[in-house]
Amino acid sequence: MWQKSPNHQTLSEAEEKKALANAPSLRFRFILAGVLVIGIIAGLAINLIFDYSQKLADLSYDRLLRSALLQMDENVGLIRNEVSIDIPWSAFATLAQAEEDRVFYKVESLEQGFITGYQDLDTQPPQPPVLDKIQFYNQEYSGEMVRFAWVQRHITDPETAQTVRIILGQTRLSREQMASAVTQKAVEVVVFIALVAITLIIIGSHLVLRPLHRIERALEDRAMGDLTPIDINTPKETHHLKVAINHFMERLQTNLEQLENYTADAAHQLRTPLASLRALAENARDNTSPERQYQALENIVKQCDTLSQTVTLLLNQAVVSHRLQTHRLEPIDLLAPIAASCREQAVTALHQRVQLSLDCELKESMILGDAFSIQQMMQNLIENAVRYSRVDVAHATEVIVQVEEFERFYRIKVIDYGDGIPDLEKERVFERFYRGRYDIAGSGVGLAMVKDIVDHHAARIQILDTEPKGTTFQVDFAKLRFEDTV
């Protein structure tokens, strides 16, 4: 009834520890994923901080550079139609705040040429020049990276007009120092936050996995045989795990109950024939008359046949119970197990002077089911109909199996013309070990197995009266739909 892996072996304590050591750790994966995410976020943050610190340093020192350039521009004028400039001391004093940096400048006129400064300072901004607009850019000069401020404007008087260009540059030492200081402080903060976050993840992993440990302890602390559902309160994320465990224990409980029922069936069905065999054997031993001994031996043979049928029924019941628990329903042709059951029972019915016939005009009837279980169901229904048919009543020696098609289901009828079943007993015939008549041989478990098979297939069974007399077992199976095969 239960599937077991052929390679499954009980592990020793050392092997169990080794398997546990080699097993993947959910906590480690959780922490590793958190560390990776935090590391990526911290790396992006540090990269953004580095860019921001560079822009912040340029913004701060560009203001000084702009101020110095404007002071120089204010002192440019025309004297006797020539450009002249008197560079104020305050311009260089402004740039002197960056003590380690050097300053380069050049003043020239497009018409007059070089005026003052570093004559070899030939640099152009990356964008096209625009009059009166200051442009800032980085460019290498004299072996160092220099930050330049560049401006060009017209100077006019009543007699002439010229275009003056002023270039002022400053090395980037102070800027880099400022950017490095800002970056260092920010990186320290980011690293501190990342370490705190990792610590919280480690603590959080323990809290997150605590419900699993609670479920583990709840199962370990249980007594053997306790299959009651787990009723501890768990978070939503572990709720489905708890439900799955409860469903598994419910199925296990059902399997154990079926095993107990099967054991009870076997004990109940085998005890009586064995006791009867013993009594018949003792009677044959004690009788001295050959005729009586022969009759006793005949009774022993009949009782052996009954016992063989009982054992076959119990074995079939065990196989059906196993299939109902382990096999999935699949598309089958309902007519195949019905026809097979009729063929197997036809000879047995004739020996009891009962004519068995199959009334069906269908060529195919597809359902979702288990062929073996349905065949066992039909055999029990046919055997039951043949057994309770009376040979001394008109039409009672006939059993008819009908298969009809309706819009949404197929209907099976097993019709006999025996004495019938009283209305008060129709609901009880599916109870295990219940028998309406004890003068007719039977086990009392066949119809109970029929009811289990019908319920497993989500079918419907009814007991109707046959006209003019007898019983009709009617079973409806739903038709196979397209979505059932997807």
Side-chain angles (χ1 to χ4, degrees):
M1 189 175 298
W2 295 276
Q3 295 181 350
K4 182 178 180 180
S5 172
N7 298 325
H8 177 74
Q9 297 179 352
T10 303
L11 300 178
S12 64
E13 184 176 355
E15 292 174 336
E16 186 71 26
K17 291 182 178 179
K18 183 178 179 181
L20 181 61
N22 294 332
S25 172
L26 184 61
R27 185 192 301 273
F28 174 76
R29 291 181 179 181
F30 180 78
I31 295 174
L32 179 61
V35 170
L36 290 177
V37 171
I38 292 175
I40 293 173
I41 295 175
L44 293 175
I46 292 173
N47 186 54
L48 292 175
I49 290 170
F50 179 78
D51 292 339
Y52 176 75
S53 63
Q54 293 288 339
K55 293 179 180 179
L56 179 62
D58 283 338
L59 179 63
S60 300
Y61 282 93
D62 283 351
R63 291 175 179 175
L64 300 178
L65 201 60
R66 175 192 292 271
S67 177
L69 183 65
L70 292 177
Q71 292 181 52
M72 294 174 64
D73 183 61
E74 290 177 355
N75 288 271
V76 176
L78 289 173
I79 300 176
R80 297 175 185 177
N81 297 329
E82 292 185 358
V83 178
S84 66
I85 180 172
D86 183 13
I87 300 177
W89 174 85
S90 59
F92 295 102
T94 301
L95 298 177
Q97 296 182 31
E99 298 177 355
E100 298 181 0
D101 285 319
R102 293 193 299 161
V103 177
F104 309 96
Y105 69 95
K106 181 180 181 181
V107 180
E108 62 181 355
S109 171
L110 299 184
E111 294 78 13
Q112 184 178 331
F114 175 75
I115 298 174
T116 185
Y118 292 78
Q119 189 170 2
D120 62 342
L121 183 59
D122 295 326
T123 179
Q124 291 289 333
Q127 298 180 359
V130 178
L131 292 176
D132 298 325
K133 180 181 178 181
I134 301 177
Q135 296 189 43
F136 295 93
Y137 57 94
N138 296 320
Q139 203 168 81
E140 188 174 349
Y141 175 72
S142 187
E144 297 181 84
M145 187 59 66
V146 180
R147 182 72 169 177
F148 288 103
W150 188 95
V151 67
Q152 182 175 288
R153 70 183 183 88
H154 287 306
I155 301 177
T156 61
D157 65 5
E159 297 181 0
T160 185
Q162 295 195 34
T163 301
V164 178
R165 180 181 299 162
I166 303 176
I167 304 172
L168 181 63
Q170 184 183 31
T171 56
R172 299 186 55 88
L173 297 178
S174 298
R175 298 169 186 261
E176 298 296 338
Q177 291 177 359
M178 178 180 178
S180 177
V182 173
T183 301
Q184 181 178 356
K185 293 295 183 182
V187 168
E188 291 176 356
V189 173
V190 171
V191 171
F192 175 75
I193 295 175
L195 293 176
V196 172
I198 293 174
T199 304
L200 293 178
I201 287 177
I202 296 174
I203 298 174
S205 65
H206 177 74
L207 298 177
V208 168
L209 298 178
R210 182 177 295 178
L212 297 179
H213 298 316
R214 291 175 57 195
I215 295 176
E216 177 186 358
R217 288 193 298 269
L219 294 176
E220 288 182 347
D221 294 341
R222 288 191 169 201
M224 295 183 61
D226 184 3
L227 297 177
T228 56
I230 301 174
D231 58 356
I232 61 177
N233 189 23
T234 58
K236 293 181 180 180
E237 290 74 15
T238 57
H239 175 74
H240 294 292
L241 174 62
K242 182 182 71 173
V243 171
I245 293 176
N246 287 340
H247 286 172
F248 174 78
M249 291 194 296
E250 182 180 354
R251 294 196 300 269
L252 183 59
Q253 180 69 36
T254 301
N255 289 336
L256 291 176
E257 292 176 355
Q258 289 180 349
L259 179 61
E260 293 176 357
N261 292 334
Y262 178 76
T263 304
D265 291 348
H268 177 81
Q269 297 298 323
L270 297 178
R271 188 182 295 113
T272 301
L274 288 175
S276 178
L277 277 175
R278 180 181 177 86
L280 291 173
E282 290 178 350
N283 187 30
R285 181 192 61 186
D286 296 338
N287 285 327
T288 57
S289 171
E291 293 80 5
R292 292 184 176 181
Q293 285 185 345
Y294 178 80
Q295 185 63 36
L297 291 175
E298 284 290 330
N299 292 334
I300 290 175
V301 171
K302 291 181 180 179
Q303 196 64 34
C304 287
D305 292 338
T306 302
L307 182 59
S308 177
Q309 294 176 359
T310 301
V311 171
T312 301
L313 176 63
L314 291 174
L315 292 176
N316 289 337
Q317 182 182 3
V319 173
V320 168
S321 178
H322 169 75
R323 293 183 68 89
L324 294 183
Q325 290 292 327
T326 59
H327 286 65
R328 292 183 178 272
L329 301 181
E330 56 186 14
I332 63 168
D333 185 1
L334 182 61
L335 298 180
I338 295 177
S341 300
C342 291
R343 286 194 297 268
E344 290 184 9
Q345 297 299 319
V347 176
T348 304
L350 287 177
H351 287 168
Q352 300 185 36
R353 293 183 291 174
V354 175
Q355 182 179 355
L356 175 63
S357 61
L358 174 60
D359 181 9
C360 177
E361 298 180 355
L362 303 177
K363 294 184 179 180
E364 187 181 57
S365 55
M366 299 301 296
I367 68 167
L368 199 63
D370 180 71
F372 180 83
S373 301
I374 293 177
Q375 183 174 345
Q376 295 301 314
M377 177 196 75
M378 292 302 302
Q379 286 186 3
N380 278 278
L381 291 177
I382 295 173
E383 285 179 359
N384 190 71
V386 171
R387 186 182 300 117
Y388 285 90
S389 296
R390 292 179 55 185
V391 298
D392 57 344
V393 180
H395 303 293
T397 56
E398 183 180 11
V399 172
I400 303 174
V401 178
Q402 292 182 350
V403 182
E404 300 174 315
E405 181 180 9
F406 291 85
E407 181 179 358
R408 297 185 177 180
F409 60 89
Y410 297 103
R411 174 167 290 171
I412 306 171
K413 290 184 179 179
V414 180
I415 305 170
D416 70 69
Y417 296 91
D419 290 336
I421 301 176
D423 292 338
L424 296 177
E425 297 182 3
K426 287 180 180 178
E427 295 297 329
R428 299 195 60 192
V429 296
F430 297 113
E431 296 178 5
R432 199 174 300 274
F433 302 130
Y434 177 79
R435 295 174 59 191
R437 295 176 58 178
Y438 287 89
D439 58 331
I440 298 178
S443 62
V445 296
L447 290 180
M449 182 170 64
V450 168
K451 187 65 167 59
D452 292 338
I453 297 172
V454 169
D455 292 341
H456 184 74
H457 287 78
R460 184 179 65 173
I461 186 169
Q462 289 180 292
I463 303 177
L464 308 175
D465 294 329
T466 306
E467 294 295 337
K469 192 177 183 180
T471 302
T472 297
F473 282 85
Q474 178 177 287
V475 186
D476 296 337
F477 285 93
K479 287 184 176 182
L480 179 66
R481 298 173 299 177
F482 174 76
E483 53 266 27
D484 295 333
T485 61
V486 178

